[in-house]
Amino acid sequence: PALDKANEVPDSEKVARSTQALGGMREALRQVLEKVEEARGTKDVVKLNCANEKLTQIKGLLRISEQADVALQEAVSKQEAAPGEHEFTKVMIAQQKVGQLRSAAEECIGQLAFRTDENLFVEVEEPDNLPGGDPTRPAPPPDLVVRPPPASPID
């Protein structure tokens, strides 16, 4: 979703949205930690490295966001518009990036590719006009006819 312009959001709303965004980012961090543990459990180094990279990036964005949230609260309490707008924008951008990184971490583990409903039911209809037999067990090739060599070789 597009970011709201920071100057159009009231100060009290900025603080509330920032606090809510931090909560969402912490939840995303927890989910990615689970993905890292899952990769560690499967002993898949490629998945582990991929998920760890996303985790590290999320931690950095969360740290920046927490600092920006504190600075936002200070700016709002001092009624300083420009610094408050800047800090609010930082948190909102970080929130979007953390969401993208969480999705990327799920892709690392393969969750998005294989996520299905446990009540999934697949019904297969076999067309009537198919040739018979099991395609995994083809008929053996016909016997080769070997001709005997000529009776009188010509040089």
Side-chain angles (χ1 to χ4, degrees), residues 45-117:
V45 177
V46 174
K47 288 180 181 180
L48 179 61
N49 286 342
C50 181
N52 251 336
E53 178 185 335
K54 307 308 179 222
L55 178 66
T56 302
Q57 292 176 26
I58 290 173
K59 284 179 180 178
L61 286 167
L62 185 58
R63 190 176 320 111
I64 290 168
S65 297
E66 288 170 341
Q67 292 168 352
D69 183 59
V70 170
L72 170 64
Q73 292 177 24
E74 288 174 3
V76 166
S77 69
K78 294 177 184 176
Q79 297 181 345
E80 297 173 339
E85 291 169 6
H86 179 71
E87 300 303 329
F88 174 74
T89 303
K90 273 199 234 179
V91 174
M92 294 299 107
I93 290 171
Q95 178 187 27
Q96 284 186 342
K97 290 189 179 204
V98 166
Q100 293 166 353
L101 288 166
R102 183 187 51 76
S103 296
E106 286 183 359
E107 289 174 8
C108 288
I109 307 300
Q111 293 296 310
L112 291 180
F114 301 108
R115 184 175 290 170
T116 59
D117 181 13

Side-chain angles (χ1 to χ4, degrees), residues 131-143:
D134 184 357
T136 61
R137 295 180 177 212
D143 292 332

Side-chain angles (χ1 to χ4, degrees), residues 24-34 55 58-59 62 98 102:
M25 287 187 265
R26 287 184 184 111
E27 176 61 21
L29 177 70
R30 186 191 61 74
Q31 292 171 351
V32 173
L33 272 168
E34 288 177 0
L55 178 66
I58 290 173
K59 284 179 180 178
L62 185 58
V98 166
R102 183 187 51 76

